[in-house]
Amino acid sequence: MKEEEDVVHPVDSVSAPSLEERRAKLVAQAAALQPLLRSQATRGEEARVLPTEVVHALAEAGVFRLLTPERFGGHQTDLRTLTEVSETLAQGDGSTAWVGMIVAVTNWLASLFSDAAQEEVFGADPDARVTGVAAPTGFAEQVEGGWRVSGRWSYNSAAPHATWAAVGALMKDETGSVVDQALVLIPASDLSIEDTWRTAGMRATASNTLIAQDVFVPAHRVLSVPAAAEGSYPRTADDGPLYASAFGSMLTLCLAGPLLGLGKAALDTVVEQATSKPLSFTTHARQADSVGIQVQVAKAAMQLETARLHIYAAVDAVDDAASTGPLDYAARTRVRAQAGYAAQKVLSAISTLLDAHGASAFAEANPLQRIWRDASTAARHAGLVPAVGLEVYGKSLLGVDERVSLMV
């Protein structure tokens, strides 16, 4: 009888994890950091900078690489992943979530620059951390091969942890006339840091002032902000839809994740303590038994849910448009309005929760007071000013053709 020929059975190929699977893993890694973040929050506040072990933990969890191109070793996820991760981190500590978010989104911003600039930043150092300030508080004078940049940029979150910075400047030609508003990429080693971040909230973000004096920036490390606001980026590499995302919408919505997480942390803290904390001057041995407390907690929970619905609807609209086509200006004004509106809902919810919890919320040992301070500071970021968002959205609804912000 003829021996059977060896049959080679094909090995089942292991398909790459989907974006949803990768997102779930990254969010789970962020959740696993919460005990560490809570334990180090006071230390970070006192030092006005994140502890080294927290920064290392963020790096190990892949937070800084969330939006960095895969070809440079990044995760290349999307805005929803960034929002979910930063929301999760903020349930442990607001400053940590803010630092992680800022580096991740500014790494995305650096990925919009020319391919040569990306190679300088990430090709030489896959662990590069970019921070930045979009406000054009610097000036650039045109010189051979590029620009000579000087300026001061305040509120540069995560300044001590950065290897590069993307900072705003008004670009002047040889006659001294301003010809553009741009972001320029500068190595952190070419900048000095002035310790100016002494605040009531978000203390550990170390959002200090960057200073440049006659720093040469080659032409390929410049990104025009007006052009970017309309979706025109200098990059040419084909890295997928993430890098076609709407400029102003990305840089606004990224700010919301930490606020959502701070709101959730406040709600969880109040609910947990209400099961054992008495309601003074009443017959209630537990706050949880009071109808008044029940109503306040429910109201705050609904306000937080309203904020989440607005933010994630806007986030999904930005992510979807990156694949299917650009968001038009009217849609972008709505996104800007949603961001500011949601931030105010979070603040209102936290205020209600503190009313329910009582004066002990302001004890230094109580995390509620830090949550309150951090959220109150974060929600005042220029990108979340509700009046601006409502103005641009209202103008759009009413057909008033007047653009008051490039960050739309």
Side-chain angles (χ1 to χ4, degrees):
M1 181 171 150
K2 184 179 178 182
E3 292 185 6
E4 294 184 5
E5 295 180 359
D6 291 339
V7 178
V8 178
H9 297 284
V11 178
D12 291 336
S13 60
V14 179
S15 59
S18 67
L19 175 58
E20 290 74 17
E21 290 170 330
R22 291 188 290 131
R23 179 187 301 139
K25 179 179 179 180
L26 289 161
V27 171
Q29 290 172 175
L33 295 182
Q34 289 176 0
L36 170 67
L37 306 189
R38 293 187 186 105
S39 71
Q40 296 297 315
T42 298
R43 181 181 165 203
E45 276 211 314
E46 292 173 349
R48 295 182 299 110
V49 66
L50 293 186
T52 301
E53 53 263 52
V54 171
V55 178
H56 287 165
L58 289 176
E60 287 295 316
V63 175
F64 299 138
R65 294 190 185 196
L66 286 175
L67 305 182
T68 303
E70 286 183 347
R71 61 192 167 94
F72 294 122
H75 292 293
Q76 195 172 314
T77 58
D78 58 5
L79 181 56
R80 174 171 271 271
T81 303
L82 175 65
T83 306
E84 289 191 17
V85 167
S86 59
E87 179 182 6
T88 302
L89 291 172
Q91 292 171 47
D93 176 52
S95 287
T96 302
W98 193 266
V99 166
M101 173 274 294
I102 286 293
V103 173
V105 80
T106 318
N107 277 6
W108 170 83
L109 179 62
S111 301
L112 305 182
F113 281 72
S114 69
D115 296 355
Q118 294 175 56
E119 189 64 37
E120 277 188 85
V121 175
F122 300 111
D125 178 12
D127 291 314
R129 299 171 190 164
V130 188
T131 62
V133 178
T137 54
F139 290 92
E141 297 179 352
Q142 194 164 20
V143 296
E144 185 177 354
W147 303 83
R148 187 71 61 181
V149 180
S150 298
R152 294 172 59 88
W153 296 272
S154 297
Y155 314 131
N156 187 78
S157 299
H161 319 302
T163 54
W164 287 78
V167 291
L170 297 177
M171 318 301 281
K172 297 181 177 182
D173 63 16
E174 60 277 2
T175 69
S177 299
V178 174
V179 294
D180 200 2
Q181 177 182 332
L183 286 162
V184 296
L185 272 172
I186 301 177
S189 56
D190 289 347
L191 300 164
S192 59
I193 300 175
E194 184 176 339
D195 186 358
T196 54
W197 187 246
R198 299 176 182 273
T199 58
M202 287 290 185
R203 290 177 177 171
T205 62
S207 302
N208 291 306
T209 300
L210 295 181
I211 303 171
Q213 186 62 47
D214 291 330
V215 173
F216 175 71
V217 176
H220 68 268
R221 283 202 251 124
V222 175
L223 182 147
S224 169
V225 172
E230 297 305 320
S232 178
Y233 308 137
R235 71 183 336 271
T236 59
D238 183 9
D239 289 316
L242 173 61
Y243 307 101
S245 300
F247 182 76
S249 299
M250 283 285 290
L251 297 181
T252 298
L253 284 174
C254 67
L255 308 171
L259 275 166
L260 294 177
L262 286 166
K264 180 65 162 57
L267 178 63
D268 289 347
T269 301
V270 170
V271 167
E272 178 185 0
Q273 295 191 20
T275 60
S276 58
K277 188 178 187 293
L279 186 59
S280 300
F281 304 118
T282 74
T283 59
H284 294 302
R286 307 184 318 155
Q287 286 187 331
D289 296 326
S290 164
V291 172
I293 298 298
Q294 294 163 7
V295 169
Q296 287 177 302
V297 168
K299 176 183 177 181
M302 294 302 292
Q303 289 173 320
L304 292 174
E305 184 63 18
T306 295
R308 292 191 87 256
L309 288 169
H310 273 289
I311 292 304
Y312 280 104
V315 162
D316 288 343
V318 171
D319 282 340
D320 291 345
S323 298
T324 62
L327 281 179
D328 63 22
Y329 182 74
R332 301 200 307 267
T333 65
R334 186 170 188 270
V335 166
R336 178 67 185 263
Q338 286 177 294
Y341 183 79
Q344 294 305 301
K345 286 297 180 184
V346 172
L347 290 186
S348 182
I350 292 174
S351 179
T352 299
L353 290 166
L354 266 63
D355 287 344
H357 188 80
S360 63
F362 298 93
E364 289 186 352
N366 194 323
L368 285 170
Q369 51 80 27
R370 183 171 56 250
I371 292 169
W372 173 65
R373 290 185 289 104
D374 285 350
S376 296
T377 301
R380 268 72 181 193
H381 187 285
L384 295 174
V385 173
V388 175
L390 294 174
E391 179 184 358
V392 297
Y393 186 39
K395 279 181 165 58
S396 175
L397 289 172
L398 294 167
V400 177
D401 188 15
E402 179 188 2
R403 300 198 179 188
V404 298
S405 174
L406 288 173
M407 291 298 170
V408 174

